[in-house]
Amino acid sequence: MNNRISRRSVLRGAGVVAAGAAASAASAGTARATSAQKPAPAAKVTDFLNSLGVCTHIGQGVDDASGVATVLPYLGVYSIRDDAHASAVPNWIDLHRACGARVNLIGQSDSVADTIDMADQLAAVGALMAVEGPNEPNNQPVTYEGKTSDRTTDFLPVAGYCRDLYSSVKSNPRLRDYPVFASSEAGGSEPNNVGLQFLTIPRGAGTLMPDGTHYADFANTHTYPDRSPGWVDNLAWNVADPTLNGAWDGLYVEFGTTWYGGFAGYPVSQLATLPRVMTETGWATEGGGAITDEQQGGLILALYLANFARGWRNTFIYMLRDDPVQGYWGLVDTNYAPKPSGQYLHNLTTILADKGTGRPKPPAPLSYAIADQPQNVHDRLLQKTNGDLYLAMWNEQADGSNTVTVTLDRGRAARIYNPLVGTSPTQSFAETRSITLTMSGYDCRILKLA
């Protein structure tokens, strides 16, 4: 993370533009038009909870596996992203046995075979979540088949590694059903057109690697809101926009038109539905450009919710624990004690915890409307296995507050939760058709509706 070569440093303040009018409108602060009530499809609460991830450094020997095992259940997060080091495999297995955590394994940059061996050991005990290409080859060169990549001239070693990693995963009977995540920032930063801006190189792409080369199942970005022009509205919502050409290394500049070489990838129309994950995002609470602990806490919830609402399969916050060397980005401090971001996340996952068993109930019909909804107030309907409905609403406003009214299709029992305060309802209704909320700054409410 430190001293990284990013799109922001290359642009040097050149300015950014939206990929389309719709993307540009996403950052506006004006109210949306009043909408009529219509049925809203509910996503599974379990899908949202399973999308939550965090970066750890057990592989580097920085994080202690026992400390991680203690704090993950508190946070309600069971997917970690870590560097492939053979010495860490027993620790990851112990971690999985202690709390059920699974590992997104970042490929070892000089050996596909070693990475596959580690993935195979993890998969054998249920401790593997995914396999990922090499981390940020623009910052960490890849040596493969006797050649080393160079961020200004050649990414063919990166391309060869990613091709062979994908092939090796899919040809392994134990691993073939696990997803392969693309190498982070590889597409956007490639100096020569090796086609890493594609999951599979399409016919006629004109890349140095052959048409049909398979690299990954999911696009992968490292999209940091702190690269935006300061603490502004809609930081999380804009980061999650797959078509917005912003300063934060989003999907558009990694898999649409690459930020370093300007190579063509997917058209905007395909970016919106491209399978994707975000394996690093966050904002530090100490150092240059830092935000307060409380601001980080609200932003983290918004990042998780906005990414899920906008179609990202997984979101990994950088990082689990503060570290004096790598920075104070953590959800917990150096002693594994939760910061406000960790506390708020604990509250959210506790409120939404789904312990239902058996066959999930079919989606329940729910129609609701939010009159004159501001552009920085967002919502997503969720449903637990037992059929209970939860409407997540969050505010992304740098300063000030928004007051909104949710109108329901009929009188319903309702409970209002504020994960920035605790896990108990802050307000309850035996029956209501209208709920008014005031949210300030980066704020969140969860409405349980019956």
Side-chain angles (χ1 to χ4, degrees):
M1 182 64 202
N2 296 325
N3 301 316
R4 60 194 296 150
I5 303 298
S6 68
R7 178 175 181 247
R8 185 180 188 183
S9 64
V10 172
L11 286 174
R12 298 186 186 278
V16 295
V17 297
S24 180
S27 62
T30 58
R32 303 171 191 170
T34 301
S35 58
Q37 284 190 356
K38 57 183 179 180
K44 296 178 182 178
V45 163
T46 51
D47 286 346
F48 170 67
L49 295 175
N50 289 337
S51 77
L52 310 180
V54 65
C55 297
T56 59
H57 296 102
I58 297 171
Q60 297 179 17
V62 175
D63 283 331
D64 174 68
S66 61
V68 174
T70 299
V71 76
L72 288 183
Y74 173 81
L75 298 175
V77 176
Y78 298 95
S79 296
I80 66 169
R81 175 179 182 262
D82 214 325
D83 298 296
H85 290 276
S87 60
V89 172
N91 292 326
W92 290 324
I93 292 175
D94 289 344
L95 176 64
H96 171 71
R97 289 171 175 163
C99 69
R102 298 188 303 150
V103 183
N104 168 28
L105 190 67
I106 307 170
Q108 188 168 307
S109 65
D110 59 353
S111 175
V112 168
D114 288 350
T115 300
I116 293 297
D117 180 63
M118 285 179 262
D120 198 63
Q121 293 181 62
L122 293 172
V125 296
L128 183 68
M129 179 234 171
V131 180
E132 182 179 328
N135 183 67
E136 297 186 0
N138 54 321
N139 294 307
Q140 301 169 12
V142 172
T143 298
Y144 190 61
E145 295 181 328
K147 297 181 179 179
T148 300
S149 65
D150 184 280
R151 67 179 181 85
T152 63
T153 59
D154 183 27
F155 264 23
L156 279 170
V158 185
Y161 182 103
C162 292
R163 173 202 60 203
D164 293 349
L165 179 68
Y166 186 86
S167 175
S168 297
V169 169
K170 298 307 176 182
S171 63
N172 183 306
R174 205 196 312 265
L175 301 179
R176 62 189 177 195
D177 293 330
Y178 286 91
V180 177
F181 298 162
S183 174
S184 54
E185 300 203 2
S189 67
E190 60 182 3
N192 50 345
N193 193 3
V194 297
L196 286 164
Q197 69 272 32
F198 297 106
L199 303 181
T200 300
I201 298 177
R203 181 178 299 178
T207 60
L208 297 177
M209 294 290 281
D211 294 355
T213 300
H214 297 287
Y215 289 131
D217 299 310
F218 287 82
N220 176 16
T221 68
H222 285 178
T223 311
Y224 283 88
D226 70 323
R227 295 173 184 162
S228 72
W231 185 253
V232 297
D233 292 358
N234 274 334
L235 285 165
W237 192 250
N238 288 342
V239 157
D241 191 329
T243 67
L244 190 62
N245 182 4
W248 41 77
D249 291 5
L251 194 73
Y252 178 81
V253 297
E254 295 291 336
F255 293 89
T257 300
T258 65
W259 61 263
Y260 189 88
F263 303 125
Y266 294 101
V268 169
S269 59
Q270 293 184 28
L271 289 177
T273 58
L274 193 68
R276 56 190 181 270
V277 296
M278 192 179 294
T279 59
E280 286 188 20
T281 187
W283 200 317
T285 55
E286 291 188 30
I291 55 177
T292 67
D293 285 348
E294 289 72 21
Q295 285 176 321
Q296 186 204 42
L299 177 62
I300 294 302
L301 298 193
L303 285 167
Y304 278 135
L305 286 164
N307 271 13
F308 182 75
R310 305 197 80 161
W312 297 77
R313 181 184 186 267
N314 298 97
T315 301
F316 292 82
I317 297 299
Y318 188 90
M319 52 192 181
L320 176 65
R321 185 175 73 101
D322 284 346
D323 175 60
V325 176
Q326 301 189 73
Y328 292 82
W329 301 80
L331 302 176
V332 301
D333 66 18
T334 56
N335 295 315
Y336 294 97
K339 296 163 63 176
S341 55
Q343 295 168 9
Y344 300 167
L345 181 57
H346 162 79
N347 294 342
L348 179 67
T349 59
T350 300
I351 294 164
L352 293 176
D354 189 350
K355 305 195 181 292
T357 58
R359 183 185 298 274
K361 290 190 176 182
L366 174 65
S367 296
Y368 67 93
I370 305 170
D372 298 320
Q373 184 173 355
Q375 289 286 354
N376 47 18
V377 173
H378 311 287
D379 59 285
R380 186 67 171 99
L381 185 64
L382 304 169
Q383 182 174 357
K384 291 190 178 181
T385 303
N386 64 5
D388 288 349
L389 290 168
Y390 289 76
L391 179 60
M393 300 191 64
W394 65 102
N395 194 61
E396 298 188 30
Q397 189 162 347
D399 295 297
S401 61
N402 282 306
T403 298
V404 296
T405 297
V406 182
T407 303
L408 305 174
D409 52 357
R410 59 176 174 81
R412 292 175 177 269
R415 292 180 181 177
I416 316 301
Y417 297 85
N418 182 348
L420 278 65
V421 172
T423 59
S424 299
T426 58
Q427 197 172 6
S428 297
F429 301 89
E431 183 176 313
T432 183
R433 288 199 62 183
S434 179
I435 299 171
T436 298
L437 304 170
T438 297
M439 295 182 286
S440 301
Y442 275 71
D443 205 349
C444 181
R445 298 291 185 276
I446 305 296
L447 283 60
K448 181 181 179 182
L449 304 170

